[in-house]
Amino acid sequence: MTPYADAMIDFRSAVEARDPDAMAATLADDVVFRSPVAFKPYPGKAITAAILRGVLRVFEDFEYVRELTGDDGRDHALVFRARIGDVTVEGCDFLHLDGDGLIDELTVMVRPLSAAQALAAAMADQFERIQREATGG
């Protein structure tokens, strides 16, 4: 087990428990989130935590089905399955940990196209709330 293993266990456990505060605690202040449906990355802990809360509201029956770890323990891929309404989503969270074991990069990929489209529509419905949560408004 690498020195970063506890950080991944914390993130995965927080997601599986649907605990947004515990999820946010695993993020570095300078984390960069890359969405599967938006080209522009979202920098910063506040917006990333707000997006993750939005995802919790959108995904149903979420489960991680596989975890892959890089040799140094700082790179991880968490393969997941979920639903958005009647649409089945398969995806992967790609995470990189900084020297303190906090997530400084989070990239999400989803498939198939129908799932990406459903996610884009569902998150678009959430985005005004996400922006308010990120800015404390």
Side-chain angles (χ1 to χ4, degrees):
M1 198 171 309
T2 70
Y4 301 102
D6 287 345
M8 279 316 309
I9 291 168
D10 291 347
F11 178 78
R12 182 175 178 163
S13 296
V15 172
E16 289 172 335
R18 302 181 66 85
D19 183 339
D21 293 333
M23 290 166 61
T26 67
L27 302 174
D29 289 338
D30 63 348
V31 64
V32 175
F33 176 80
R34 290 180 182 84
S35 165
V37 295
F39 177 74
K40 182 185 112 193
Y42 296 94
K45 184 174 183 172
I47 189 68
T48 300
I51 290 169
L52 292 175
R53 287 191 298 272
V55 169
L56 288 178
R57 294 187 293 267
V58 167
F59 278 156
E60 302 170 64
D61 300 331
F62 182 94
E63 67 174 330
Y64 284 120
V65 296
R66 188 174 316 123
E67 180 175 340
L68 307 168
T69 303
D71 291 339
D72 68 357
R74 291 179 67 178
D75 292 294
H76 298 266
L78 299 171
V79 180
F80 65 83
R81 287 193 193 115
R83 271 186 321 101
I84 301 172
D86 294 334
V87 178
T88 299
V89 179
E90 295 177 336
C92 191
D93 293 337
F94 295 97
L95 303 108
H96 181 268
L97 305 178
D98 67 13
D100 295 324
L102 295 172
I103 298 166
D104 62 1
E105 294 177 26
L106 172 54
T107 301
V108 180
M109 304 270 186
V110 297
R111 66 163 305 279
L113 178 59
S114 59
Q117 291 168 329
L119 180 60
M123 290 302 288
D125 290 344
Q126 294 284 320
F127 216 74
E128 187 175 309
R129 180 175 176 182
I130 288 168
Q131 289 178 313
R132 278 195 317 271
E133 289 178 2
T135 59

